[in-house]
Amino acid sequence: MITTTAIQLITGAIGSVAFGILFHMKNKYLPLAAAGGALSWLVFLFGKALWGNVFLPTLLAGFIADVYAEILARICKETSTSFFVTSVIPLIPGSTLYYCMNSIVEGNTMQALKYGRDTFLFAFGIAAGMSIAWAICYFFRSIKTKQP
């Protein structure tokens, strides 16, 4: 029997492939997009089990997704953006944003604040993880180009 985690990883991979198709990613890279989506969600689930909140797991998953994208960009000689965007799709806080807006419409301010906070933490975690990974990769690239 398929576990909940396996179903989440499969749907994360399928969602990443769907966005790869939407963004006109080359067909030969769609399996890499699927692997990136599953990887980022697996890292998020691992971090959630370890830390329990949403910011640190999302930061770690965003970091890993960007490192994955940077590595694939070098291997495939493509831009890292397409690999990063498709890999991070499972982390996008669509449900928390929806529930935040729904709570606002219903007039439930406390619930809206809770979902709004989680939405912000998801988005900030993705951005921070990506920024940290990008800065580290940029640093290593600048060292490599300055060698005699």
Side-chain angles (χ1 to χ4, degrees):
M1 180 145 157
I2 298 179
T3 65
T4 304
T5 302
I7 292 170
Q8 290 180 20
L9 294 175
I10 291 167
T11 56
I14 291 169
S16 293
V17 168
F19 273 87
I21 292 168
L22 182 68
F23 294 138
H24 304 289
M25 183 179 241
K26 293 178 182 174
N27 288 341
K28 65 181 179 179
Y29 298 138
L30 291 177
L32 298 174
L39 175 67
S40 67
W41 193 250
L42 180 66
V43 170
F44 173 77
L45 291 175
F46 175 74
K48 187 98 164 106
L50 195 61
W51 294 304
N53 62 5
V54 294
F55 176 71
L56 289 176
T58 308
L59 182 132
L60 181 62
F63 176 82
I64 295 297
D66 194 64
V67 169
Y68 175 78
E70 292 286 341
I71 291 169
L72 285 181
R74 303 299 167 264
I75 293 170
C76 300
K77 296 182 181 12
E78 297 284 340
T79 62
S80 63
T81 305
S82 59
F83 294 115
F84 176 73
V85 169
T86 55
S87 295
V88 83
I89 286 297
L91 301 175
I92 303 298
S95 63
T96 56
L97 181 59
Y98 169 79
Y99 291 126
C100 176
M101 295 296 115
N102 189 44
S103 298
I104 290 171
V105 169
E106 291 177 349
N108 190 344
T109 308
M110 295 309 291
Q111 194 72 7
L113 288 173
K114 178 191 171 296
Y115 284 121
R117 183 202 70 202
D118 285 349
T119 301
F120 173 78
L121 290 175
F122 266 109
F124 185 60
I126 293 168
M130 177 198 65
S131 298
I132 292 167
W134 183 84
I136 291 169
C137 291
Y138 180 79
F139 175 73
F140 284 124
R141 277 194 306 267
S142 68
I143 288 175
K144 185 178 176 186
T145 58
K146 291 181 182 180
Q147 289 180 351

